[in-house]
Amino acid sequence: MYYASLIFIHVLAAGVAVGGLAFCALILLPALESPPDEAIEKSARYKILSLLAPTVFACLLALIVTGMTYLSDAYTEQVNLKSGYYNLFGAKMLVVVGAFFLSLYQTFSLRGKILNLDLRPENREGLPAVLNKMASVGRLILGLITVAMFLGVWLARF
Ligand code: HEM
């Protein structure tokens, strides 16, 4: 029951991250019309991108915490694993590290440039470019988390 709950939270966080990113990056954002530059702060695109970044980051934190807790608590189940399991695990960790740092950059660097424009009006000028960059980084994170998800499912059935 404990392990099932851990993996349930793990899979739920993966689903929220991939589902949220896929819906926003592939369906919603391309369907929205570009607002005129002066209305950009009130646009759905601005709001979606500023909320999506910390949501994905929180999911990645949940994935890392539950994944590591599972690994450290279920070690007795990991004694007779087939050789190659940890190669696959290593490949998954490389992909996860890439997704984590991109999400860190998106949430704390890029998002920082689009928030509190009243206090930092000089950031207003570069806003469309930063939003485009956030959308591109989001697509990249989506690709990496999808690969990590596939490797996770493979790992559980190795
Ligand atoms: C982008 C991040 C990640 C995604 C999308 C992801 C996804 C998944 C998925 C879908 C599963 C399969 C669950 C199942 O079918 O039962 C899984 C299993 C697992 N994941 Fe992750 N995961 C991520 C990060 C991590 C991290 C950071 C760790 C550890 C440090 C980790 C450790 C594990 C372990 C130990 C399993 C179980 C494998 C087994 O049953 O042998 N995962 N993961």
Side-chain angles (χ1 to χ4, degrees):
M1 168 74 180
Y2 170 61
Y3 294 148
S5 309
L6 274 182
I7 295 294
F8 171 69
I9 299 171
H10 198 74
V11 173
L12 192 64
V16 172
V18 169
L21 275 166
F23 179 64
C24 291
L26 305 179
I27 299 173
L28 199 54
L29 291 175
L32 291 173
E33 284 168 26
S34 330
D37 277 2
E38 63 280 4
I40 204 159
E41 285 168 71
K42 303 254 180 309
S43 67
R45 184 178 161 76
Y46 174 89
K47 288 176 192 163
I48 291 165
L49 284 168
S50 60
L51 286 173
L52 186 65
T55 307
V56 171
F57 187 69
C59 289
L60 280 168
L61 286 184
L63 281 159
I64 292 168
V65 170
T66 50
M68 287 176 61
T69 311
Y70 178 78
L71 266 190
S72 57
D73 288 1
Y75 58 89
T76 46
E77 261 124 89
Q78 280 146 17
V79 276
N80 286 318
L81 290 173
K82 285 186 218 155
S83 69
Y85 181 93
Y86 283 106
N87 296 355
L88 204 57
F89 181 74
K92 180 177 166 183
M93 287 307 103
L94 284 179
V95 177
V96 172
V97 166
F100 179 78
F101 281 105
L102 280 176
S103 178
L104 195 72
Y105 170 61
Q106 196 189 39
T107 308
F108 295 100
S109 172
L110 294 179
R111 186 171 174 263
K113 291 184 192 159
I114 68 166
L115 294 182
N116 302 322
L117 293 171
D118 302 348
L119 302 175
R120 277 168 287 173
E122 69 278 9
N123 283 351
R124 209 165 250 131
E125 211 173 297
L127 199 55
V130 178
L131 289 180
N132 285 341
K133 200 163 185 183
M134 284 181 84
S136 311
V137 174
R139 285 193 293 271
L140 217 57
I141 298 173
L142 172 63
L144 289 175
I145 302 187
T146 307
V147 173
M149 200 168 176
F150 175 75
L151 293 176
V153 172
W154 188 3
L155 210 55
R157 281 148 195 85
F158 196 73

